[in-house]
PDB file of all heavy atoms in Angstrom:
ATOM      1  N   ILE A  53     121.625 106.773 119.529  1.00 80.00           N
ATOM      2  CA  ILE A  53     121.365 105.367 119.325  1.00 80.00           C
ATOM      3  C   ILE A  53     121.919 104.949 117.942  1.00 80.00           C
ATOM      4  O   ILE A  53     122.551 103.891 117.768  1.00 80.00           O
ATOM      5  CB  ILE A  53     119.865 105.054 119.397  1.00 80.00           C
ATOM      6  CG1 ILE A  53     119.388 105.227 120.845  1.00 80.00           C
ATOM      7  CG2 ILE A  53     119.552 103.638 118.925  1.00 80.00           C
ATOM      8  CD1 ILE A  53     117.885 105.073 121.011  1.00 80.00           C
ATOM      9  N   ALA A  55     124.384 106.211 116.397  1.00 79.00           N
ATOM     10  CA  ALA A  55     125.827 106.206 116.378  1.00 79.00           C
ATOM     11  C   ALA A  55     126.432 105.123 117.325  1.00 79.00           C
ATOM     12  O   ALA A  55     127.639 104.919 117.311  1.00 79.00           O
ATOM     13  CB  ALA A  55     126.343 107.603 116.828  1.00 79.00           C
ATOM     14  N   GLU A  97     105.086 119.555 119.072  1.00 68.00           N
ATOM     15  CA  GLU A  97     105.759 120.831 119.182  1.00 68.00           C
ATOM     16  C   GLU A  97     105.484 121.368 120.606  1.00 68.00           C
ATOM     17  O   GLU A  97     104.340 121.732 120.908  1.00 68.00           O
ATOM     18  CB  GLU A  97     105.284 121.806 118.150  1.00 68.00           C
ATOM     19  CG  GLU A  97     105.596 121.375 116.737  1.00 68.00           C
ATOM     20  CD  GLU A  97     105.144 122.379 115.671  1.00 68.00           C
ATOM     21  OE1 GLU A  97     104.970 123.555 116.039  1.00 68.00           O
ATOM     22  OE2 GLU A  97     104.943 122.003 114.542  1.00 68.00           O
ATOM     23  N   GLN A 105     102.867 115.033 125.071  1.00 73.00           N
ATOM     24  CA  GLN A 105     102.351 113.694 124.814  1.00 73.00           C
ATOM     25  C   GLN A 105     102.853 113.225 123.431  1.00 73.00           C
ATOM     26  O   GLN A 105     102.600 113.829 122.421  1.00 73.00           O
ATOM     27  CB  GLN A 105     100.846 113.677 124.828  1.00 73.00           C
ATOM     28  CG  GLN A 105     100.251 112.275 124.497  1.00 73.00           C
ATOM     29  CD  GLN A 105      98.758 112.208 124.767  1.00 73.00           C
ATOM     30  OE1 GLN A 105      98.331 112.251 125.912  1.00 73.00           O
ATOM     31  NE2 GLN A 105      98.004 112.093 123.690  1.00 73.00           N
ATOM     32  N   VAL A 173     101.258  77.891 106.947  1.00 90.00           N
ATOM     33  CA  VAL A 173     100.231  77.010 106.389  1.00 90.00           C
ATOM     34  C   VAL A 173      99.694  77.515 105.040  1.00 90.00           C
ATOM     35  O   VAL A 173      99.638  76.719 104.089  1.00 90.00           O
ATOM     36  CB  VAL A 173      99.023  76.937 107.425  1.00 90.00           C
ATOM     37  CG1 VAL A 173      97.769  76.352 106.766  1.00 90.00           C
ATOM     38  CG2 VAL A 173      99.458  76.010 108.541  1.00 90.00           C
ATOM     39  N   LEU A 271     103.558  75.690  80.471  1.00 83.00           N
ATOM     40  CA  LEU A 271     104.803  74.962  80.403  1.00 83.00           C
ATOM     41  C   LEU A 271     104.736  73.786  79.441  1.00 83.00           C
ATOM     42  O   LEU A 271     105.732  73.482  78.762  1.00 83.00           O
ATOM     43  CB  LEU A 271     105.175  74.477  81.811  1.00 83.00           C
ATOM     44  CG  LEU A 271     105.586  75.612  82.768  1.00 83.00           C
ATOM     45  CD1 LEU A 271     105.697  75.085  84.179  1.00 83.00           C
ATOM     46  CD2 LEU A 271     106.890  76.272  82.324  1.00 83.00           C
TER      47      LEU A 271
END
Side-chain angles (χ1 to χ4, degrees):
I53 292 175
E97 298 181 22
Q105 178 170 292
V173 166
L271 291 172

